[in-house]
Amino acid sequence: MQANKFKTVRSDVQDLLQQAQDLFAEATEATGKKADELRAKGQDVLNQALNVAQSAQTAVVQSGRELVSGTDDYVQANPWRAIAISAGVGLLVGLAVGRSSDHY
């Protein structure tokens, strides 16, 4: 679910940046008041993209904090189980690395 939200945010930011690029490109060809209006619109679009990106960053930081807190609580409640899981993962990674180095 989080991945879909981040894909949507990324798509929205890319769309906003493309709109801003188009407006700035059009502004370079225009002159006078029209160019000023296009530049202002482009700046507004860039500000929207920045706000969307900052909102996504806030969501990611909050999710990370919740994950760390949950992991910390689990390890505090189950220290030996956490050690066993860590050792098992380390063993699997070691075996995988050992096998891949045999091929080279």
Side-chain angles (χ1 to χ4, degrees):
M1 184 159 172
Q2 287 285 50
N4 289 336
K5 287 182 183 179
F6 295 127
K7 286 180 184 178
T8 302
V9 168
R10 181 177 180 213
S11 175
D12 290 348
V13 169
Q14 286 176 338
D15 290 343
L16 289 169
L17 291 176
Q18 184 60 48
Q19 288 176 13
Q21 286 177 337
D22 293 343
L23 287 169
F24 285 131
E26 190 177 339
T28 59
E29 296 173 5
T31 59
K33 188 174 182 174
K34 177 76 172 170
D36 292 339
E37 290 173 4
L38 290 171
R39 284 188 201 99
K41 284 182 184 178
Q43 191 63 41
D44 288 342
V45 170
L46 286 175
N47 287 337
Q48 288 175 354
L50 179 62
N51 289 336
V52 169
Q54 287 174 339
S55 296
Q57 178 186 10
T58 301
V60 167
V61 168
Q62 182 62 32
S63 295
R65 285 184 179 150
E66 290 171 4
L67 180 66
V68 167
S69 176
T71 303
D72 186 48
D73 291 343
Y74 179 81
V75 170
Q76 294 292 327
N78 305 296
W80 290 109
R81 187 177 292 171
I83 290 170
I85 290 170
S86 299
V89 170
L91 177 66
L92 292 175
V93 169
L95 288 173
V97 169
R99 287 185 183 203
S100 67
S101 65
D102 290 343
H103 294 282
Y104 297 107

